[in-house]
Amino acid sequence: MSKIEVMDTNISLKKNKVGDYISLTDMAKYKNPDATGLVISHWLSTRFAIEFLGIWESVNNPNFNVTEFSNIRANAGANGNVLSAKQWIDKTNAIGIVSSAGRYGGTYAHSDIAFEFGSWLSPEFKYYLIREYQRLKAAEQAQLGWSVKRELSKINYRIHTDAIKQNLIPAELTSRETSIVYASEADVLNMALFGKTAAAWSTENPDAQGNMRDYASINQLICLSNMESLNSVLINEGLPQSERLEKLNQIAISQMTVLENAGQNKLLEITK
């Protein structure tokens, strides 16, 4: 569960399979901290709120009870009509608003709906709510990026420590291929990993947008990144291009074997 602060009001957020849900109970404290349920009920009883909720549920909820919604909409805005969050959920099978009791309970709404509630509370409150929500999402994306880098580091460590004998992944280069003098170091790496130069790939794929590396898999890009560093070391050691190419090809075979055995799905586990 995350929290943001909007105009001196602490607001909780939680996730479910539908998306981000923001605490209406916390938001209502901005208007009346002693009667948050009543604040939410007053908003739910307005025709504007019911119309918006009906549209949202119709788009996102296949089990939305349209018949009950029509009855509620007919009474919306009438004098004396008060609709609680629980009544709305129970009557219409709504999923955009959820309500629960207990220490971590309260009434939460999907961010789309919470922003509309914010408009009713105060245009200024809504503005800062959206701003803080966007700041939180940016921070989460930055954290995800760091996690991906950390996972890549783990895989690279495994490459350097595991010794796995499997079938060859890249094709092993012939002595003729390693003896050719290639015009660029980029093509040395291309030959070691892909078995062809950039020009040869472009000739084979005249309609492709971009270059060969744009079509590489995640595993190939990881391997390529490691090979670039290793090639720099080999150049500094004074190895001729033909020897470097032979070594890099063997390294590509070994590393791709490890990566393919590890499985690309491990890269996605951090997002679950």
Side-chain angles (χ1 to χ4, degrees), residues 25 30 44 59 61 66 95 102 105 115 132 137 144 158 161 166 182 194 216 237 241 251:
T25 301
Y30 170 77
L44 284 173
V59 172
N61 182 5
V66 179
I95 61 172
F115 294 154
E132 285 303 303
K137 301 309 292 183
L144 177 60
R158 180 173 178 176
T161 57
Q166 297 290 343
Y182 295 96
F194 303 110
E237 291 179 352
Q241 189 184 87
I251 289 168

Side-chain angles (χ1 to χ4, degrees), residues 32-87:
N32 189 338
D34 298 321
T36 56
L38 189 59
V39 173
I40 296 170
S41 292
H42 283 169
W43 172 68
L44 284 173
S45 301
T46 65
R47 189 169 188 82
F48 174 81
I50 294 302
E51 292 284 0
F52 182 84
L53 289 172
I55 294 171
W56 192 96
E57 295 288 346
S58 297
V59 172
N60 297 283
N61 182 5
N63 298 315
F64 184 50
N65 191 326
V66 179
T67 302
E68 281 295 332
F69 167 69
S70 298
N71 294 334
I72 293 173
R73 181 173 56 181
N75 294 317
N79 290 334
N81 177 60
V82 178
L83 181 69
S84 70
K86 188 175 186 307
Q87 288 172 324

Side-chain angles (χ1 to χ4, degrees), residues 134-166:
Q134 291 173 336
R135 180 194 60 76
L136 175 66
K137 301 309 292 183
E140 288 178 352
Q141 288 299 315
Q143 177 67 24
L144 177 60
W146 179 84
S147 297
V148 170
K149 292 178 182 178
R150 181 178 62 179
E151 192 68 14
L152 290 177
S153 296
K154 290 180 182 178
I155 292 176
N156 284 336
Y157 177 77
R158 180 173 178 176
I159 287 174
H160 289 97
T161 57
D162 285 4
I164 300 176
K165 294 183 179 180
Q166 297 290 343

